[in-house]
Amino acid sequence: MPDHGAAIRVERHVEPSGPAFDLAILDFTVGTIASALTAFGNLNSAILFAATARACGPFGTNGERRQPVSINALAASLGRPFETVRRHANALVEDGLIARSPDGLYVALDSVVEPRVAALVDCCHDRMVALVDQAQHLGDTLPGPHPGIAYDPRVGIGLALDLLLAALECHGQREETPLRLALLLTLERAALRAALDASPSQVIRTSDVARMLDLPYATASRNIDALVACGLVGRDGGHLAPVADDAAVAARMALAGRARVLIARLAQAGFPVTAPTTALIRPRPSLAMAG
């Protein structure tokens, strides 16, 4: 007979947290930013495309689409000047990557298969897969997949774009220029990896950061000089080190919280949390960035 007095054991998932999870998020963020720069050649344009795609589809449950979004709304959501958003929107419309209607901007279904767009959204999705995979390897017990729901990669792409935009939003209070913020996050990623690898003496140079983002050295150098001048990065000879101030800690904590919410939503959408890499869209690359 069953022992009705015995305690009932309830399996609870352990939410990922800590420096190793922060590093996994930085791997995702820096990797997707590098892909965005390669695909679009301009980070502002890539961010605007991602924001437009999330505002009006097509990356959602059953390919759901919402109403077109105005430039005013996009500028407000991104915290960017209207004229900057308008200029980049016009360029994306001319390139056929987003479309314009009397009601606003939207991402046409045809543009999703355009090589640059496909490369970016596939990379975002597969790096989200890598983030969940790394969380699993950290020993965290993530929420199980929702029973009876077949996973649709379009949902995963949408949530991955949400995480990219969340990273830029959470850290955007520290540096509003997207490219400089990308360089700062790349430096933070390199510094955190060195700390977790117990190699704090590792020298991080401008050439290393330029290589990670595939940027011209002169572009990286000029923008890193600006980060040093405003006190976000320290320089000792050729060695660069991000400044770990209260704003950096708060942004990292806020982003970790957003990432946990998005991973839970991914599980609810039927994502194979216990075998993440089976959801990869492209043949498995080296998902953790070198360096």
Side-chain angles (χ1 to χ4, degrees):
M1 295 181 62
D3 182 2
H4 295 292
I8 298 175
R9 296 196 310 172
V10 178
E11 184 176 344
R12 304 179 62 183
H13 71 269
V14 180
E15 292 189 332
S17 61
F21 184 58
D22 290 336
L23 178 59
I25 297 172
L26 283 169
D27 279 342
F28 167 88
T29 304
V30 175
T32 53
I33 285 174
S35 179
L37 283 167
T38 298
F40 284 76
N42 182 290
L43 198 50
N44 279 298
S45 294
I47 293 168
L48 179 57
F49 173 85
T52 305
R54 290 310 288 143
C56 64
F59 305 113
T61 305
N62 299 321
E64 66 183 14
R65 300 186 63 81
R66 295 177 287 278
Q67 292 298 314
V69 61
S70 70
I71 293 177
N72 271 324
L74 286 168
S77 69
L78 293 172
R80 306 294 296 154
F82 172 87
E83 187 56 33
T84 299
V85 174
R86 186 192 68 81
R87 184 173 68 253
H88 287 284
N90 287 341
L92 289 170
V93 170
E94 289 177 7
D95 283 348
L97 300 182
I98 62 175
R100 178 181 281 118
S101 76
D103 297 322
L105 304 173
Y106 64 97
V107 173
L109 289 173
D110 290 346
S111 70
V112 176
V113 297
E114 201 277 344
R116 286 174 293 172
V117 173
L120 175 59
V121 299
D122 288 359
C123 172
C124 286
H125 178 276
D126 286 357
R127 286 194 175 277
M128 187 77 163
V129 172
L131 173 60
V132 177
D133 191 41
Q134 289 177 53
Q136 288 277 30
H137 281 92
L138 292 175
D140 300 311
T141 307
L142 303 177
H146 195 290
I149 295 181
Y151 175 62
D152 185 343
R154 290 174 298 183
V155 178
I157 289 170
L159 294 173
L161 291 174
D162 284 344
L163 184 54
L164 172 60
L165 293 170
L168 298 169
E169 177 188 341
C170 290
H171 288 279
Q173 301 299 318
R174 305 166 60 203
E175 170 54 59
E176 64 179 14
T177 305
L179 183 58
R180 290 177 187 169
L181 180 56
L183 289 162
L184 177 61
L185 294 177
T186 304
L187 279 167
E188 291 185 346
R189 177 198 166 275
L192 184 55
R193 177 170 290 282
L196 291 177
D197 290 345
S199 55
S201 61
Q202 177 181 333
V203 175
I204 306 168
R205 303 182 184 277
T206 298
S207 57
D208 300 320
V209 183
R211 174 181 52 80
M212 291 175 195
L213 292 178
D214 196 21
L215 287 173
Y217 178 86
T219 300
S221 179
R222 181 174 66 252
N223 284 280
I224 286 174
D225 285 347
L227 292 172
V228 172
C230 69
L232 290 172
V233 173
R235 176 185 280 136
D236 182 6
H239 177 56
L240 300 169
V243 175
D245 56 12
D246 290 343
V249 174
R252 187 178 295 176
M253 291 178 62
L255 182 55
R258 298 279 282 276
R260 287 190 289 269
V261 169
L262 291 171
I263 289 174
R265 287 176 58 190
L266 196 62
Q268 291 169 2
F271 181 83
V273 178
T274 56
T277 57
T278 63
L280 287 169
I281 291 176
R282 301 198 175 198
R284 183 174 184 131
S286 176
L287 291 172
M289 296 185 66

